[in-house]
Amino acid sequence: MDSATVKKIASESEAKQIRRRELSEKLAALDAGSALCKQYALRVTSARETHEPPNVVQDESGGETPDPSVSQLGNNQQDVATDG
């Protein structure tokens, strides 16, 4: 076989080359986004681990409930924003 025939059989069309390039660019963008999400997740996880767990007390049924002497965000009227 001559080289022109081999090239014609083995090569990709221009449309396929363009599509491959577009998909490669999209994959690079998705990989960058994934790396950013992983960095953020590590920061959030690290921040959560540094906070102390809430105080709890044993209730009458033996279960744990938040300590009423400790203000819980959103449970105190001062913590809740109101309109008007």
Side-chain angles (χ1 to χ4, degrees), residues 50-82:
T50 60
H51 296 310
E52 294 181 23
N55 292 338
V56 293
V57 293
Q58 293 286 337
D59 64 14
E60 294 173 5
S61 66
E64 293 181 343
T65 58
D67 186 346
S69 65
V70 177
S71 173
Q72 300 292 321
L73 183 62
N75 292 343
N76 188 336
Q77 283 295 358
Q78 294 172 344
D79 294 337
V80 179
T82 58

Side-chain angles (χ1 to χ4, degrees), residues 1-66:
M1 280 188 193
D2 63 52
S3 63
T5 305
V6 171
K7 185 176 179 180
K8 185 177 179 181
I9 294 171
S11 68
E12 288 182 317
S13 68
E14 185 176 344
K16 286 187 180 183
Q17 291 175 4
I18 292 170
R19 180 72 173 144
R20 180 183 304 280
R21 193 171 331 130
E22 289 171 349
L23 291 174
S24 294
E25 291 170 1
K26 286 182 181 182
L27 180 59
L30 290 171
D31 284 339
S34 175
L36 183 64
C37 288
K38 287 177 183 176
Q39 287 177 342
Y40 180 74
L42 287 174
R43 264 194 300 183
V44 169
T45 302
S46 296
R48 285 183 181 165
E49 290 173 354
T50 60
H51 296 310
E52 294 181 23
N55 292 338
V56 293
V57 293
Q58 293 286 337
D59 64 14
E60 294 173 5
S61 66
E64 293 181 343
T65 58

